[in-house]
């Protein structure tokens, strides 16, 4: 157990190491306790408009019971947090944010809700209320055998639940919110559970072939999948354009703007950002967070590594980081400083390991 965002979190379970757990998720199924994440409901007649003010996502066109990755932005276009937004209806949303950003996010929501509910739109059409699901469990069942295992516990046809969709699903007497997705690049589900039922469901879901899986494997899986970790790969000085997350900015939002931080974000979409997030393959030794990135000649620093590991799946040293625009092209050969030595590295596309989501 290790301290993480105010919680004691499992780094690994028993004698099963992080690498073995990583391979088990890639080949079978693993269960992650992610109940430290902050789960919220936003409800009200103007909930869609409110969340479209806070984020650059196009929520009006998002179908009911569909999810999207999104970002909360500050006035300068920097990322306050990354988040998953699930639309239940035009007036009801389920939102998951990071535990490490809890205080910042909840204060931001409070301030912006007060501002919004005094606005002409809210006065005319109705305001928005925020419910924090404190104490609720959140379990992530991930891996190629996850669906088969979960299907044995429910009468709901999980084939109807494609990637990015959610539903209330009966599981052994519990009626639970199940979203198809996760942060490993594998097929899987994130299940939100009332406090009184969390332990029972965790016990039910942790039988063979499913293995309990800790934070160590979660980090290596998400990095292979090219996914960002807030506080390392994302922060309030980084815009979604720099982070390679332009795809989550709705097409209609690029024309109309209207979201907090839109002037900076739309300017970067038009003119290009000063730096970009890239994937790297590093020779010799793994580059960790903070390692400096140089030109191939090694004379000029052009960026910094934000995440890096020896990849269990690829048996190569992989990393993500930010480099100055112009040095971000795939195949570009550069140098990374590891243990006071410049190592050869190459810019590669993300993800490192191809995603295997269940799509229609």
């Amino acid at each position: 157990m290790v301290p993480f965002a105010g919680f004691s979190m499992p780094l690994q379970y028993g004698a099963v190491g992080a690498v073995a757990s990583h391979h088990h998720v890639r080949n079978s199924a693993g269960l992650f306790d992610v109940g430290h994440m902050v789960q919220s409901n936003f409800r009200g007649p103007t909930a869609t408009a409110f969340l479209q003010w806070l984020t650059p996502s196009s929520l009006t066109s998002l179908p009911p019971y569909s999810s999207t990755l999104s970002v909360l932005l500050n006035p300068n276009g920097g990322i306050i947090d990354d988040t998953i937004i699930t639309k239940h209806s035009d007036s009801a949303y389920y939102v998951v944010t990071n535990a490490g950003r809890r205080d910042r996010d909840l204060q931001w929501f409070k301030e912006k809700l007060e501002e919004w509910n005094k606005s002409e739109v809210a006065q005319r059409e109705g305001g928005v209320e925020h419910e924090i699901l404190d104490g609720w469990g959140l379990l992530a069942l991930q891996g190629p055998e996850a669906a088969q295992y979960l299907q044995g516990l429910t009468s709901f046809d999980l084939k109807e639940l494609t990637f990015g969709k959610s539903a209330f699903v009966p599981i052994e007497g519990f009626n639970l919110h199940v979203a198809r997705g996760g942060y490993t690049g594998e097929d899987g589900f994130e299940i939100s559970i009332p406090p009184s039922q969390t332990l029972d469901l965790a016990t039910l879901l942790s039988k063979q072939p499913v293995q309990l899986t800790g934070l160590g494997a979660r980090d290596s899986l998400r990095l292979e999948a090219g996914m960002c970790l807030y506080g390392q790969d994302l922060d309030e000085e980084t815009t979604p354009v720099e982070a390679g997350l332009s795809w989550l900015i709705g097409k209609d939002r690029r024309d109309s703007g209207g979201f907090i931080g839109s002037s900076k974000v739309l300017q970067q979409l038009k003119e290009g950002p000063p730096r970009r997030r890239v994937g790297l393959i590093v020779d010799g030794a793994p580059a960790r967070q903070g390692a400096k990135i140089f030109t191939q000649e090694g004379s000029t620093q052009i960026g910094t590594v934000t995440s890096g590991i020896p990849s269990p799946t690829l048996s190569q040293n992989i990393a993500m980081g930010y480099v100055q625009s112009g040095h971000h092209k795939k195949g570009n050969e550069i140098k990374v400083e590891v243990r006071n030595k410049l190592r050869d590295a190459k810019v590669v596309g993300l993800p490192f390991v191809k995603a295997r989501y269940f799509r229609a």
Side-chain angles (χ1 to χ4, degrees), residues 37 56 58 82 139-140 152 158 162 190 207-208 210 218 239 249 269 295 356:
M37 306 284 276
S58 182
D82 56 326
L139 296 175
L158 294 175
T162 53
E190 293 196 337
K207 298 173 182 175
Q208 287 298 327
V210 180
R218 184 171 172 83
T239 70
I249 304 168
L269 279 174
T295 56
R356 298 194 290 184

Side-chain angles (χ1 to χ4, degrees), residues 18 46 92 170 211 241 261:
T46 55
Q211 284 185 359
V241 184

Side-chain angles (χ1 to χ4, degrees), residues 213-250:
T213 313
L215 281 181
R218 184 171 172 83
D219 189 52
S220 56
L221 288 160
R222 70 90 193 167
L223 183 48
E224 287 187 346
M227 295 173 173
C228 297
L229 178 64
Y230 196 92
Q232 288 188 201
D233 311 300
L234 303 174
D235 56 35
E236 292 210 40
E237 303 301 315
T238 303
T239 70
V241 184
E242 292 172 324
L245 299 175
S246 297
W247 59 269
L248 59 74
I249 304 168

